[in-house]
Amino acid sequence: MSQNYVDNVKVCVRVKPIQSGESKRCISAIPAQNSILIAGKPESKVFSYDMVADETVSQQSLYQSIARPLVESFVNGYNTCIFAYGQTASGKSYTIQGEGVNSDQLQPHHGLIPRVFQSLFTENGGLLNNLTTYKCTLSFLEIYNEHIIDLLEKPTNIQHPLPIGGTQGTSSNLNIRDDNTKGIYVEGLKEVEVKSTKVAMGLLMTGMHHRHVASTQLNLNSSRSHSVLSLHLESRVKDEKTGGSKSKYSRFNIIDLAGSERQKSTDSVGGRLREAGNINKSLTVLGTVIRALVDLSKGKPRHIPYRDSKLSFLLKDSLGGNSKTYLIATVSPEDISYTETLSTLQFAHRVKNVKNIAIINEE
Ligand code: ADP
Ligand code: MG
């Protein structure tokens, strides 16, 4: 076994179609060169990535380029991760889960999650069925204001995680653990075994419904929460040394991040102030972790502050470990979104410079 820094973190920028024909554009995608030009004042800038998807790229085509190779790696025992970053309404949820997900038959607007399920369980009998023995489970959580909410549990069991307006609520908080064998996991989180697309889609729907009910009942703003759907795979593989078999664990995290826009100060009153602060904390710490990882990739010794927020701790394996990770940064092309779009392009550019450690198994 040897360790190497490799380019396992890839970045795609996806441009959302322009909503109103009247709007002026501030960016042009140059997909053939994997570049984006952003027209600014006083100067224009060009950023390059591993992939640039303009508005003509379909859900199916994006899946084939980005997620399908990760699904294969996951089945082969690698940790994999996809996360969507961008301002509210730039297309994160459209990309991650898509629309029409109440049908378990594949639809054109289905996003990455339903397509991952299709490949694992349905397409040509399902990739997982190539494994002799396996157990695949699914969990689904939301991080809101540094609290973890289990989306597979009924929202009636969720107590208010936020002390809004000075009322002290009881926490429904779950803790994250770092285990030598299992890696990062959330203690007490519900994990349901899945063997079919139908069951997996049912769990996706349940989680989305619980998220909606919880946010309505508790008056939460869902654009300020991060949702994490994880598939956990345990497969039995032959142990060459002993002739017996051993377990191999892998995890696939699919993450829809909170809107990356700066919180408006008018919202920052009472309980809302704390909410905005914590959401910023999660995304700010993510930014700090990324900067530290970039330094580390350049050979500078750095402490990586994974544990400073729930989100970065949960992403520890995905960003710094033996994981294949794809960031999809979503941007709106309208002139009015210039500042947020530029900030997203810069974040995505930093992430492109992260190289994580690959354990090369020379069996
Ligand atoms: P976010 O999750 O970032 O807040 P959404 O995914 O909800 O944003 O997208 C906002 C709106 O834009 C939705 O109505 C969605 O259907 C539409 N949209 C986003 N991206 C695309 C795309 N690539 N193609 C077509 N419609 C899109
Ligand atoms: Mg969304």
Side-chain angles (χ1 to χ4, degrees), residues 45-65:
K45 287 196 174 97
V46 176
F47 292 94
S48 299
Y49 303 96
D50 297 292
M51 178 179 172
V52 165
D54 67 11
E55 41 265 74
T56 64
V57 172
S58 68
Q59 298 280 61
Q60 167 63 9
S61 161
L62 194 83
Y63 173 75
Q64 284 299 338
S65 310

Side-chain angles (χ1 to χ4, degrees), residues 42-257:
E43 54 177 347
S44 299
K45 287 196 174 97
V46 176
F47 292 94
S48 299
Y49 303 96
D50 297 292
M51 178 179 172
V52 165
D54 67 11
E55 41 265 74
T56 64
V57 172
S58 68
Q59 298 280 61
Q60 167 63 9
S61 161
L62 194 83
Y63 173 75
Q64 284 299 338
S65 310
I66 289 179
R68 176 65 203 223
L70 296 185
V71 173
E72 284 172 23
S73 296
F74 168 67
V75 172
N76 290 328
Y78 284 89
N79 287 331
T80 50
C81 175
I82 296 175
F83 64 115
Y85 178 99
Q87 75 175 122
T88 297
S90 59
K92 296 183 296 297
S93 304
Y94 181 81
T95 299
I96 293 293
Q97 74 211 20
E99 285 157 6
V101 291
N102 52 353
S103 161
D104 42 77
Q105 301 299 314
L106 211 51
Q107 311 280 318
H109 290 290
H110 274 179
L112 299 178
I113 291 176
R115 292 172 196 276
V116 167
F117 294 161
Q118 280 283 328
S119 292
L120 289 175
F121 305 112
T122 306
E123 185 193 300
N124 300 326
L127 281 175
L128 283 177
N129 285 323
N130 295 336
L131 301 170
T132 32
T133 318
Y134 74 89
K135 185 179 179 192
C136 184
T137 59
L138 185 151
S139 62
F140 198 9
L141 65 84
E142 178 176 35
I143 303 174
Y144 194 99
N145 200 14
E146 291 300 295
H147 288 258
I148 294 180
I149 297 169
D150 191 338
L151 290 177
L152 295 184
E153 294 284 6
K154 278 210 178 79
T156 46
N157 296 338
I158 300 172
Q159 289 172 313
H160 203 308
L162 285 172
I164 281 189
T167 316
Q168 197 63 37
T170 316
S171 167
S172 65
N173 217 355
L174 299 166
N175 288 316
I176 306 174
R177 302 268 176 242
D178 192 355
D179 178 89
N180 280 345
T181 319
K182 287 173 73 179
I184 302 285
Y185 71 99
V186 180
E187 198 174 48
L189 190 72
K190 193 165 178 178
E191 276 184 29
V192 181
E193 184 166 7
V194 272
K195 291 181 176 163
S196 69
T197 299
K198 196 174 164 58
V199 168
M201 287 298 281
L203 292 169
L204 173 67
M205 290 295 296
T206 301
M208 284 167 59
H209 176 66
H210 287 168
R211 193 178 184 193
H212 176 73
V213 171
S215 67
T216 311
Q217 278 178 2
L218 306 177
N219 194 24
L220 310 180
N221 177 348
S222 64
S223 75
R224 294 185 174 182
S225 74
H226 314 280
S227 77
V228 182
L229 184 136
S230 305
L231 290 160
H232 315 257
L233 178 65
E234 180 184 355
S235 49
R236 301 291 300 172
V237 291
K238 212 169 162 207
D239 189 336
E240 301 296 343
K241 283 190 198 130
T242 64
S245 67
K246 61 177 181 184
S247 278
K248 212 170 169 182
Y249 297 92
S250 54
R251 193 172 50 249
F252 199 162
N253 286 328
I254 310 179
I255 303 173
D256 189 352
L257 292 175

Side-chain angles (χ1 to χ4, degrees), residues 25-38:
R25 299 176 64 98
C26 69
I27 54 174
S28 330
I30 316 158
Q33 292 168 21
N34 293 323
S35 297
I36 294 246
L37 181 137
I38 178 156

